[in-house]
Amino acid sequence: MKLLFHIRYISPSMTKQLLHSNSFQQRSLLHTCVPLLNKEKLPDKSNSSKKEKFDEQPHMRIESKAAAREKNPYKYMMYHEIYSEKELHSVKITHKKFESWHDRIAYAAVQTMRFFFDTFTGYVHVPIESESDKNKTKHRQRKPMNEKQWLRRIIFLESIAGVPGMVAGMSRHMKSLRTMQRDHGWIHTLLSEAENERMHLLTFLELRNPGWIFRAFVLLGQGVFFNAFFVTYLISPTVCHRFVGFLEEEAVITYTRCLQELDAGRLPIWSKTPAPSIAKSYWKLKDDAMMKDVLLAVRADEATHRQVNHKLADAGPDSPNPFLTREKEERDPPDEKEQDEIDTANKK
């Protein structure tokens, strides 16, 4: 009560001094921050006739950011590949030859996961080459999947695919802090991969909103896979990167199969479905892009991850990142020659 009484009866002159002091502190604080916000918006001190208000400078900067986001709402995201038409259609199905016990363990783990994943999504995987064989009638009698089944499969796949890059990047980040040593450029590449896979998920979620049962399975699968991959990465990063490389090989096969189904007219809804706006902005697709263009871009991303993880496994965890030269605003995706380098299993 005494404090309120004193405040009530402060003299007007003292009140004016307090307000002036408070205003001076605000201007002084803002004055030290304005150069960090935007040097181009600083008031011209040489022209004393103009009264520049410092409190307007941050708003001018915020409006500039908003205008930039309207032009490219995903400009804040990490670097990712932007593909030409030739690059989208030059993606190959490759398989790396086993060179050590690491490779065999990683491939066995991928095939085990694929068996359970195919069973869960109701998909019987048929190799691309086997369908051209006229004698294998059982493959021709396979019932094709519809759009709903493909979405169920892809959404579950992408909800898991975003885990390895984040876990690997986090592990290397913590190791760098713990050992107080540099990481040699791996962290950014791995986190960029994780974000790219998440954008795949967000794109396909524009077409379907899964129910609580599906989300429960995603939560379960993500929890098991996250912890298993994290423990394995602490033991052997090489096995983990080879595992992701083989996993991305299977992803390229899956999206190639989906594109073939689309071209064969077995997915009539998708053949008439425009690409979601999030996909157009992220991959810089044309305004009239369709779902086929989205599938081509996603498949190209998976081929890039396949290339990156096989190369990281070959380099070893203590080597510099071999993809540091690609760290610019628009990196060049792997060309056909680079894809042939990891297609060692199919070479004679």
Side-chain angles (χ1 to χ4, degrees):
M1 293 298 294
K2 291 183 178 180
L3 179 60
L4 293 176
F5 175 81
H6 287 297
I7 294 177
R8 166 88 172 146
Y9 289 96
I10 290 179
S11 63
S13 59
M14 187 175 295
T15 304
K16 185 176 181 180
Q17 291 177 359
L18 289 173
L19 291 175
H20 178 76
S21 175
N22 184 40
S23 176
F24 174 78
Q25 291 177 356
Q26 290 179 354
R27 291 197 304 271
S28 299
L29 179 60
L30 187 57
H31 178 72
T32 60
C33 299
V34 166
L36 300 178
L37 295 175
N38 193 348
K39 292 182 179 180
E40 297 179 358
K41 301 297 182 179
L42 284 175
D44 187 5
K45 294 183 179 180
S46 61
N47 189 356
S48 59
S49 62
K50 294 184 178 180
K51 295 183 179 180
E52 299 286 353
K53 296 183 179 180
F54 284 97
D55 57 348
E56 292 180 357
Q57 302 301 323
H59 297 288
M60 297 173 68
R61 178 63 173 172
I62 292 173
E63 289 174 0
S64 176
K65 281 187 175 182
R69 289 196 187 100
E70 288 180 2
K71 296 179 181 179
N72 186 2
Y74 300 100
K75 189 176 179 62
Y76 65 91
M77 304 195 78
M78 295 183 178
Y79 301 146
H80 64 281
E81 284 73 14
I82 302 298
Y83 307 98
S84 65
E85 286 293 326
K86 181 181 179 181
E87 291 165 343
L88 290 173
H89 291 89
S90 63
V91 174
K92 298 180 178 180
I93 294 176
T94 64
H95 179 53
K96 188 168 179 63
K97 183 180 179 181
F98 301 147
E99 297 179 358
S100 65
W101 63 271
H102 299 90
D103 300 349
R104 298 184 183 276
I105 291 178
Y107 188 73
V110 168
Q111 292 303 311
T112 302
M113 281 188 60
R114 173 131 205 175
F115 171 77
F116 289 105
F117 181 64
D118 290 348
T119 303
F120 171 74
T121 57
Y123 174 72
V124 179
H125 174 60
V126 180
I128 303 298
E129 294 80 8
S130 65
E131 278 196 343
S132 61
D133 190 351
K134 302 295 184 179
N135 297 324
K136 297 182 180 180
T137 57
K138 63 178 182 179
H139 295 322
R140 297 202 306 272
Q141 295 174 354
R142 180 179 64 87
K143 184 178 180 180
M145 296 172 61
N146 56 32
E147 290 87 352
K148 183 177 180 181
Q149 291 172 317
W150 273 110
L151 273 177
R152 179 177 62 188
R153 176 180 180 82
I154 291 174
I155 290 175
F156 191 89
L157 173 68
E158 298 297 349
S159 68
I160 303 298
V163 172
M166 180 59 66
V167 171
M170 176 193 69
S171 300
R172 295 189 67 92
H173 174 76
M174 297 306 294
K175 181 180 179 181
S176 178
L177 297 178
R178 186 170 60 252
T179 60
M180 302 182 185
Q181 296 179 354
R182 297 181 62 181
D183 177 69
H184 303 295
W186 285 51
I187 295 175
H188 187 275
T189 298
L190 296 171
L191 295 182
S192 177
E193 175 185 315
E195 182 181 70
N196 181 254
E197 296 287 4
R198 184 174 61 87
M199 290 302 296
H200 294 177
L201 175 63
L202 295 178
T203 297
F204 288 103
L205 285 176
E206 293 290 320
L207 305 177
R208 181 187 179 186
N209 185 21
W212 67 270
I213 297 178
F214 186 91
R215 294 174 183 270
F217 277 104
V218 169
L219 181 63
L220 177 63
Q222 191 179 89
V224 173
F225 183 67
F226 182 98
N227 290 282
F229 192 86
F230 174 67
V231 173
T232 308
Y233 200 89
L234 294 178
I235 298 173
S236 177
T238 301
V239 170
C240 289
H241 287 293
R242 187 69 74 201
F243 168 86
V244 177
F246 287 135
L247 190 66
E248 299 296 355
E249 288 181 0
E250 299 296 322
V252 171
I253 293 175
T254 296
Y255 283 109
T256 300
R257 168 69 60 181
C258 186
L259 286 165
Q260 290 179 345
E261 298 274 339
L262 185 63
D263 292 336
R266 297 173 181 174
L267 302 173
I269 298 178
W270 279 6
S271 63
K272 301 177 182 179
T273 303
S277 58
I278 185 175
K280 294 178 183 178
S281 299
Y282 185 70
W283 285 290
K284 298 182 180 179
L285 302 178
K286 298 179 181 178
D287 293 336
D288 59 347
M290 304 296 287
M291 271 301 299
K292 182 178 180 179
D293 299 303
V294 176
L295 293 172
L296 286 170
V298 173
R299 185 183 67 165
D301 280 341
E302 305 296 3
T304 300
H305 301 328
R306 174 189 65 188
Q307 190 83 16
V308 168
N309 280 277
H310 277 316
K311 287 291 185 179
L312 292 179
D314 291 337
D318 298 326
S319 302
N321 182 0
F323 295 94
L324 283 180
T325 56
R326 294 179 182 265
E327 295 299 324
K328 54 186 180 180
E329 288 191 2
E330 292 188 4
R331 299 173 295 185
D332 297 327
D335 54 23
E336 294 186 24
K337 182 179 179 181
E338 290 177 308
Q339 293 184 67
D340 290 335
E341 290 178 357
I342 62 171
D343 193 21
T344 54
N346 295 324
K347 292 182 179 179
K348 295 182 180 180

